[in-house]
Amino acid sequence: MKLKKIFAGMSALAIAATMSMAVSAADPASKEYNFILITTDIPCEVNDDDQAVVNDSVVTCKDLTLKIGDQSFDVTVAPQKTDEKYLCFEIINKWNTKLESQVSDYAVAGEGEYLEVTFTIEGLGDTSGNAGIAFQANDTWDFRNTNGSDTSDFAQPACFPNPIVGLSGGTGGYDTNVDVSDTAVNGDGTYTVSIAQSGTVNSDPQVFDDGTTNEGWKWAANAVAWTDEVNSSTDSSNSSSTSGTDSKTDSNSSKADTSSSKSGSTSSKSSGTSGSTSKSTSTAATSSTSSTASDNTNSATGATAGIALAGIALAGAALVVSKRK
């Protein structure tokens, strides 16, 4: 069930005043990613050493370069996410306390920026499939999954390519036309995948209590959704202004219930095998359907809204947010 945010007890004046404090793309709301994963539709098993196994061969993901906007990070190896039934390699996973990520001191990507990962797979032999990036930004809870069994949430169909991002865990609507480059995987080789970190709300928008919606509002992984009108009119000199706009502020920076988001707490060790020759590919990802992914798929679908933006205390207003199952 989609979450709906209810503005309780807010006068029109209080709502208008809140608008002027809307977070813009220049004012980051998310300071980190909860996870960045390379997900695939290639079935695998996990051995006693927490390594991915495909057709009796250990598969490794190594020599990665992660780009977050204009920031670049080298990662030696990305271990298998051990609760997945498909190849799924962890670069960042806040929910896996045993993962020692090699990525730190970064800024979450914003408007016009991308996540991009170049990586090398070894041990696949001639097995083929598709791969893409799954992510979840902290605080904004914008997310994208590429495999999962919850068909009621179209931000995570078990198929590629998947140009869909859910905003605020889905409660803020969806962008179904995200600039995404998933890739076909044809055995061992070096591949590159990417996904934009901004766009526009164009599906299942959030509905406010007066019947208006946030359809057409911009989103960025590092900021709550905003309208061009709010973004262009917000500055330090008139932050308390109550005129010049009629739309409501979206409170999509609400924090999610971490109890439904945690996954992958088992240890993730990786074995680096070598000897395969890397090859490059720019083959477009092909559509595929896959069987049900693990119940703990990529954490994002459990994200639900919690504590809203500070500052909405104006006129004693409160935000009531329900959880969706």
Side-chain angles (χ1 to χ4, degrees), residues 81-83 90 93 95-97 262-268 296:
K81 190 171 184 290
T82 56
D83 60 353
E90 301 174 297
N93 188 356
W95 313 120
N96 182 0
T97 57
K262 294 183 179 180
S263 65
S265 60
T266 57
S267 63
S268 297
N296 293 326

Side-chain angles (χ1 to χ4, degrees), residues 67-79:
K67 293 181 180 179
I68 304 175
D70 60 1
Q71 309 156 92
S72 183
F73 303 88
D74 292 327
V75 178
T76 304
V77 65

Side-chain angles (χ1 to χ4, degrees), residues 287-312:
S287 296
S288 64
T289 57
S290 57
S291 58
T292 301
S294 65
D295 292 337
N296 293 326
T297 299
N298 295 348
S299 308
T301 55
T304 54
I307 304 173
L309 274 172
I312 304 184

